[in-house]
Amino acid sequence: MQAIDEAGLANTTILRIANRANVSAGIISHYFGGKEGLLEATMRQVLGDLGQEVARRRAAAGGSPRAQLRAIIDGNFDRNQVSRAVMKTWLAFWASSMHRGNLQRLQQVNDRRLYSNLCFQFRRCLPRDEARDAARGLAALIDGLWLRGALASETLDAERARRLAYDYLDGRLARTECLA
Amino acid sequence: MQAIDEAGLANTTILRIANRANVSAGIISHYFGGKEGLLEATMRQVLGDLGQEVARRRAAAGGSPRAQLRAIIDGNFDRNQVSRAVMKTWLAFWASSMHRGNLQRLQQVNDRRLYSNLCFQFRRCLPRDEARDAARGLAALIDGLWLRGALASETLDAERARRLAYDYLDGRLARTECLA
DNA sequence: ATATCTTTATTGAACGTTCAATCAATAAAA
DNA sequence: TTTTATTGATTGAACGTTCAATAAAGATAT
């Protein structure tokens, strides 16, 4: 991820990674099954970290839909996740996952998990179709904030991103009376 | 863009492009100054098309903030823009623009234009800070819907994407009384 | 504890492939 | 005849992978 941050995935060679990790070039192919394998392993790591962070915050949060949804938002804008290196890596994954079956599967599992988690919570206070739209919208908003954060030259303002997502959430929940 | 759609930017060689265009490989470097130059020219084309489409719709729309904002949304989800090839190309640009000064500038000009257009219209009915948040949120939502559309295996449902953006718009405008 | 043998881990140079760019040769246009 | 446009084989560089050689660790015997 540091190498991707420095030079971009296209310019990240096995040798560069090996130098940064203080190992020989050969050992990477040996343990990860080539560059492709290393990429997949890295993606699994990042997705796993994100999932854990979300789960942790959800467990610590209250049981109300709003609290759970806020926990999901918070987890997605966690400090660890929002470093430049991770954001760039994520974007590189997004781009390359469209042309590699293994990465695409990982990507879609993650996407669907976010969507269905959101949808489940919204369903607790909204009718079905409205809950789906709310989940789709919030998922897109989260990804969009990430994307714009990665592209902007400044660091992503995680605080502001969370607030914008909260606002969206409140707007959606305010339409119907929600029990907290 | 067809080549990127087929194989991804990483696997798109000059030769592949040349074959698809029925020209020799050499002529591409000659006219575009190498692969890099062709990439930039393509990006300019895509960004230009988007800008024109938005401008066209804004001119045809009414003058009210809501009508103008809807025109901007419509332009961003225009049929031409939402083909698989264009979406993939766009995502590839996003990823590679982080490591190439020329592409990054193009990218940021476009980002800022979208943001400031949105902000200007929101300012006509919202206080400054609220308008900024609304613009940031809507911009992120639009990009996020694009992104998820590109990543999903199905084609982007432009109709639904527009509706979600409209909903966000209405939610923001409903907070204060707006004159139409 | 020491020495010897066996297994596992790691290195890094060499290989073969791929690709962008070049440019002399050719074709088309003026 | 001159100028412009295009071709496509060639070149040189870059990269991922491989693998024989080396080092380290572990096991066994003395």
Side-chain angles (χ1 to χ4, degrees):
Chain A
M1 286 193 284
Q2 285 175 6
I4 290 176
D5 183 35
E6 287 167 12
L9 179 57
N11 298 323
T12 295
T13 69
I14 290 240
L15 196 64
R16 193 191 293 262
I17 299 169
N19 286 339
R20 178 155 286 282
N22 286 321
V23 295
S24 78
I27 206 70
I28 292 179
S29 290
H30 182 250
Y31 277 105
F32 291 95
K35 195 180 181 180
E36 166 92 6
L38 179 58
L39 202 62
E40 180 174 337
T42 309
M43 191 168 191
R44 281 186 194 280
Q45 174 79 42
V46 171
L47 292 176
D49 287 352
L50 174 61
Q52 265 192 291
E53 190 58 36
V54 170
R56 199 178 64 73
R57 291 183 185 252
R58 289 185 63 186
S64 76
R66 173 175 271 120
Q68 284 290 303
L69 287 163
R70 286 194 172 178
I72 294 175
I73 292 170
D74 290 350
N76 273 278
F77 292 110
D78 175 62
R79 291 259 162 240
N80 298 343
Q81 294 290 328
V82 179
S83 76
R84 283 210 73 68
V86 175
M87 286 198 295
K88 282 194 187 181
T89 302
W90 204 292
L91 190 40
F93 281 147
W94 271 333
S96 59
S97 75
M98 288 189 306
H99 303 280
R100 303 207 202 170
N102 54 341
L103 296 187
Q104 190 165 33
R105 271 187 297 278
L106 284 178
Q107 178 59 48
Q108 289 196 352
V109 166
N110 190 64
D111 270 9
R112 273 196 244 279
R113 185 178 54 184
L114 174 59
Y115 169 73
S116 66
N117 282 340
L118 293 175
C119 204
F120 178 81
Q121 296 299 329
F122 277 121
R123 272 309 305 271
R124 294 171 62 194
C125 30
L126 299 176
R128 198 190 60 183
D129 286 351
E130 220 173 307
R132 285 184 179 166
D133 279 353
R136 275 193 267 265
L138 185 50
L141 184 59
I142 290 172
D143 284 351
L145 288 166
W146 260 81
L147 176 64
R148 293 182 80 86
L151 292 175
S153 38
E154 321 96 49
T155 323
L156 171 60
D157 187 340
E159 212 54 50
R160 181 199 286 159
R162 268 176 43 197
R163 205 190 62 237
L164 287 170
Y166 279 9
D167 285 352
Y168 185 83
L169 179 58
D170 292 342
R172 281 287 182 176
L173 293 184
R175 297 193 188 182
T176 324
E177 268 313 302
C178 177
L179 40 139
Chain B
M1 288 195 282
Q2 285 176 5
I4 290 175
D5 183 36
E6 287 167 11
L9 179 58
N11 298 324
T12 295
T13 68
I14 290 238
L15 195 63
R16 194 191 291 263
I17 299 169
N19 286 339
R20 180 155 285 283
N22 286 319
V23 296
S24 79
I27 206 69
I28 292 179
S29 291
H30 182 251
Y31 276 105
F32 291 94
K35 196 181 181 181
E36 166 93 6
L38 178 59
L39 202 62
E40 181 176 336
T42 310
M43 191 168 191
R44 281 186 194 280
Q45 174 79 41
V46 172
L47 292 176
D49 287 352
L50 175 60
Q52 265 193 291
E53 190 58 36
V54 170
R56 199 177 64 75
R57 290 183 186 253
R58 288 185 64 187
S64 76
R66 172 175 272 120
Q68 284 291 304
L69 287 163
R70 286 194 172 177
I72 294 174
I73 291 170
D74 290 350
N76 273 277
F77 292 110
D78 175 62
R79 292 262 161 237
N80 298 343
Q81 294 292 327
V82 181
S83 77
R84 284 211 71 67
V86 175
M87 287 198 294
K88 283 193 185 181
T89 302
W90 205 290
L91 190 40
F93 281 146
W94 273 332
S96 59
S97 75
M98 289 190 304
H99 303 281
R100 304 207 201 168
N102 54 340
L103 296 187
Q104 192 164 32
R105 271 187 297 280
L106 284 178
Q107 178 59 48
Q108 289 196 352
V109 166
N110 190 65
D111 270 9
R112 273 196 244 280
R113 185 178 54 185
L114 174 58
Y115 169 74
S116 65
N117 281 342
L118 293 175
C119 204
F120 179 82
Q121 295 300 330
F122 276 122
R123 274 307 308 271
R124 294 172 63 194
C125 31
L126 299 176
R128 198 190 59 183
D129 286 351
E130 220 173 306
R132 286 186 179 165
D133 279 353
R136 276 193 266 264
L138 185 51
L141 184 60
I142 289 172
D143 284 351
L145 288 166
W146 259 81
L147 176 63
R148 293 182 79 86
L151 293 175
S153 39
E154 322 95 47
T155 321
L156 171 61
D157 187 339
E159 212 55 50
R160 182 199 286 158
R162 268 177 43 197
R163 205 189 62 237
L164 288 170
Y166 279 9
D167 286 352
Y168 185 83
L169 178 58
D170 292 342
R172 282 286 181 175
L173 293 183
R175 297 192 189 183
T176 324
E177 267 314 301
C178 178
L179 40 138

